[in-house]
Short mmCIF file of all heavy atoms in Angstrom, two decimals:
data_model
loop_
_atom_site.label_atom_id
_atom_site.label_comp_id
_atom_site.label_asym_id
_atom_site.label_seq_id
_atom_site.Cartn_x
_atom_site.Cartn_y
_atom_site.Cartn_z
N ALA L 142 64.83 -7.56 -26.56
CA ALA L 142 66.24 -7.74 -26.91
C ALA L 142 66.55 -7.18 -28.30
O ALA L 142 67.64 -6.65 -28.53
CB ALA L 142 66.61 -9.22 -26.83
N GLU L 143 65.62 -7.30 -29.27
CA GLU L 143 65.87 -6.83 -30.63
C GLU L 143 65.88 -5.31 -30.71
O GLU L 143 66.79 -4.71 -31.30
CB GLU L 143 64.81 -7.40 -31.58
CG GLU L 143 64.94 -8.89 -31.81
CD GLU L 143 63.83 -9.41 -32.70
OE1 GLU L 143 62.94 -8.59 -33.07
OE2 GLU L 143 63.83 -10.60 -33.01
N ASP L 144 64.88 -4.63 -30.19
CA ASP L 144 64.76 -3.18 -30.31
C ASP L 144 64.24 -2.60 -28.99
O ASP L 144 63.05 -2.36 -28.84
CB ASP L 144 63.82 -2.83 -31.47
CG ASP L 144 63.91 -1.37 -31.86
OD1 ASP L 144 64.68 -0.62 -31.21
OD2 ASP L 144 63.22 -0.95 -32.81
N PRO L 145 65.12 -2.39 -28.02
CA PRO L 145 64.65 -1.87 -26.73
C PRO L 145 64.15 -0.43 -26.80
O PRO L 145 63.36 -0.02 -25.96
CB PRO L 145 65.88 -2.00 -25.83
CG PRO L 145 67.04 -2.01 -26.76
CD PRO L 145 66.56 -2.66 -28.01
N ALA L 146 64.63 0.34 -27.76
CA ALA L 146 64.16 1.73 -27.87
C ALA L 146 62.71 1.78 -28.32
O ALA L 146 61.91 2.59 -27.82
CB ALA L 146 65.04 2.51 -28.85
N THR L 147 62.34 0.93 -29.28
CA THR L 147 60.95 0.92 -29.76
C THR L 147 60.03 0.22 -28.78
O THR L 147 58.96 0.74 -28.42
CB THR L 147 60.89 0.22 -31.13
OG1 THR L 147 61.78 0.88 -32.04
CG2 THR L 147 59.48 0.25 -31.69
N TRP L 148 60.46 -0.98 -28.36
CA TRP L 148 59.62 -1.74 -27.41
C TRP L 148 60.08 -1.43 -25.97
O TRP L 148 60.84 -2.19 -25.38
CB TRP L 148 59.71 -3.23 -27.71
CG TRP L 148 59.14 -3.58 -29.04
CD1 TRP L 148 59.83 -3.91 -30.17
CD2 TRP L 148 57.77 -3.62 -29.36
NE1 TRP L 148 58.98 -4.16 -31.20
CE2 TRP L 148 57.69 -3.99 -30.74
CE3 TRP L 148 56.58 -3.38 -28.67
CZ2 TRP L 148 56.49 -4.12 -31.41
CZ3 TRP L 148 55.39 -3.52 -29.35
CH2 TRP L 148 55.34 -3.88 -30.70
N SER L 149 59.61 -0.32 -25.49
CA SER L 149 59.92 0.06 -24.10
C SER L 149 59.04 -0.74 -23.13
O SER L 149 58.18 -1.54 -23.53
CB SER L 149 59.70 1.56 -23.90
OG SER L 149 58.34 1.89 -24.15
N VAL L 150 59.25 -0.52 -21.86
CA VAL L 150 58.49 -1.24 -20.84
C VAL L 150 57.01 -0.88 -20.91
O VAL L 150 56.13 -1.76 -20.83
CB VAL L 150 59.07 -0.92 -19.44
CG1 VAL L 150 58.21 -1.55 -18.35
CG2 VAL L 150 60.50 -1.41 -19.34
N LEU L 151 56.70 0.38 -21.10
CA LEU L 151 55.30 0.80 -21.14
C LEU L 151 54.59 0.27 -22.39
O LEU L 151 53.42 -0.12 -22.31
CB LEU L 151 55.22 2.33 -21.09
CG LEU L 151 55.73 2.98 -19.80
CD1 LEU L 151 55.62 4.49 -19.87
CD2 LEU L 151 54.96 2.46 -18.59
N LYS L 152 55.29 0.24 -23.50
CA LYS L 152 54.66 -0.27 -24.71
C LYS L 152 54.40 -1.77 -24.63
O LYS L 152 53.35 -2.27 -25.07
CB LYS L 152 55.53 0.05 -25.93
CG LYS L 152 55.48 1.52 -26.33
CD LYS L 152 56.20 1.74 -27.65
CE LYS L 152 56.06 3.20 -28.09
NZ LYS L 152 56.75 3.47 -29.37
N LEU L 153 55.35 -2.50 -24.04
CA LEU L 153 55.13 -3.94 -23.88
C LEU L 153 53.99 -4.21 -22.89
O LEU L 153 53.19 -5.13 -23.10
CB LEU L 153 56.41 -4.61 -23.40
CG LEU L 153 57.54 -4.71 -24.43
CD1 LEU L 153 58.80 -5.24 -23.78
CD2 LEU L 153 57.12 -5.61 -25.60
N ALA L 154 53.89 -3.42 -21.84
CA ALA L 154 52.80 -3.59 -20.89
C ALA L 154 51.46 -3.29 -21.53
O ALA L 154 50.46 -3.97 -21.27
CB ALA L 154 53.02 -2.68 -19.68
N GLU L 155 51.43 -2.30 -22.42
CA GLU L 155 50.17 -1.97 -23.10
C GLU L 155 49.80 -3.04 -24.13
O GLU L 155 48.62 -3.37 -24.30
CB GLU L 155 50.32 -0.61 -23.79
CG GLU L 155 49.07 -0.12 -24.48
CD GLU L 155 49.26 1.23 -25.14
OE1 GLU L 155 50.37 1.82 -25.00
OE2 GLU L 155 48.32 1.72 -25.79
N ARG L 156 50.79 -3.60 -24.77
CA ARG L 156 50.49 -4.62 -25.78
C ARG L 156 49.97 -5.90 -25.17
O ARG L 156 48.99 -6.49 -25.68
CB ARG L 156 51.75 -4.90 -26.60
CG ARG L 156 51.58 -6.04 -27.59
CD ARG L 156 52.76 -6.19 -28.50
NE ARG L 156 52.56 -7.30 -29.42
CZ ARG L 156 53.39 -7.59 -30.43
NH1 ARG L 156 54.48 -6.86 -30.61
NH2 ARG L 156 53.15 -8.62 -31.21
N TYR L 157 50.58 -6.36 -24.08
CA TYR L 157 50.18 -7.62 -23.47
C TYR L 157 49.20 -7.45 -22.31
O TYR L 157 48.88 -8.44 -21.64
CB TYR L 157 51.43 -8.39 -23.00
CG TYR L 157 52.30 -8.82 -24.15
CD1 TYR L 157 53.44 -8.09 -24.48
CD2 TYR L 157 52.00 -9.95 -24.91
CE1 TYR L 157 54.26 -8.48 -25.53
CE2 TYR L 157 52.81 -10.34 -25.97
CZ TYR L 157 53.93 -9.60 -26.28
OH TYR L 157 54.74 -9.99 -27.33
N ASP L 158 48.74 -6.23 -22.09
CA ASP L 158 47.72 -5.95 -21.07
C ASP L 158 48.16 -6.48 -19.70
O ASP L 158 47.46 -7.27 -19.05
CB ASP L 158 46.37 -6.55 -21.47
CG ASP L 158 45.22 -5.99 -20.63
OD1 ASP L 158 45.45 -4.97 -19.93
OD2 ASP L 158 44.12 -6.58 -20.64
N CYS L 159 49.32 -6.01 -19.26
CA CYS L 159 49.84 -6.42 -17.95
C CYS L 159 50.49 -5.20 -17.29
O CYS L 159 50.54 -4.11 -17.87
CB CYS L 159 50.85 -7.57 -18.10
SG CYS L 159 52.28 -7.16 -19.11
N ALA L 160 50.98 -5.40 -16.11
CA ALA L 160 51.61 -4.30 -15.37
C ALA L 160 53.04 -4.09 -15.84
O ALA L 160 53.71 -5.01 -16.33
CB ALA L 160 51.59 -4.59 -13.87
N ALA L 161 53.52 -2.85 -15.67
CA ALA L 161 54.88 -2.54 -16.10
C ALA L 161 55.91 -3.27 -15.24
O ALA L 161 56.98 -3.67 -15.73
CB ALA L 161 55.11 -1.03 -16.03
N ILE L 162 55.58 -3.48 -13.98
CA ILE L 162 56.51 -4.19 -13.12
C ILE L 162 56.68 -5.63 -13.55
O ILE L 162 57.76 -6.22 -13.41
CB ILE L 162 56.02 -4.10 -11.64
CG1 ILE L 162 57.04 -4.71 -10.68
CG2 ILE L 162 54.66 -4.76 -11.48
CD1 ILE L 162 58.32 -3.94 -10.60
N PHE L 163 55.61 -6.20 -14.14
CA PHE L 163 55.72 -7.58 -14.64
C PHE L 163 56.66 -7.64 -15.83
O PHE L 163 57.45 -8.58 -15.97
CB PHE L 163 54.33 -8.09 -15.02
CG PHE L 163 54.31 -9.48 -15.54
CD1 PHE L 163 54.43 -10.58 -14.70
CD2 PHE L 163 54.19 -9.73 -16.91
CE1 PHE L 163 54.45 -11.87 -15.19
CE2 PHE L 163 54.20 -11.00 -17.41
CZ PHE L 163 54.33 -12.09 -16.54
N VAL L 164 56.60 -6.63 -16.71
CA VAL L 164 57.52 -6.58 -17.85
C VAL L 164 58.96 -6.43 -17.37
O VAL L 164 59.88 -7.07 -17.90
CB VAL L 164 57.12 -5.42 -18.79
CG1 VAL L 164 58.10 -5.33 -19.97
CG2 VAL L 164 55.71 -5.60 -19.30
#
Side-chain angles (χ1 to χ4, degrees):
E143 290 177 358
D144 193 359
T147 303
W148 295 105
S149 62
V150 174
L151 295 179
K152 286 188 176 180
L153 289 173
E155 182 180 357
R156 175 173 179 174
Y157 294 100
D158 194 14
C159 60
I162 186 67
F163 180 77
V164 178

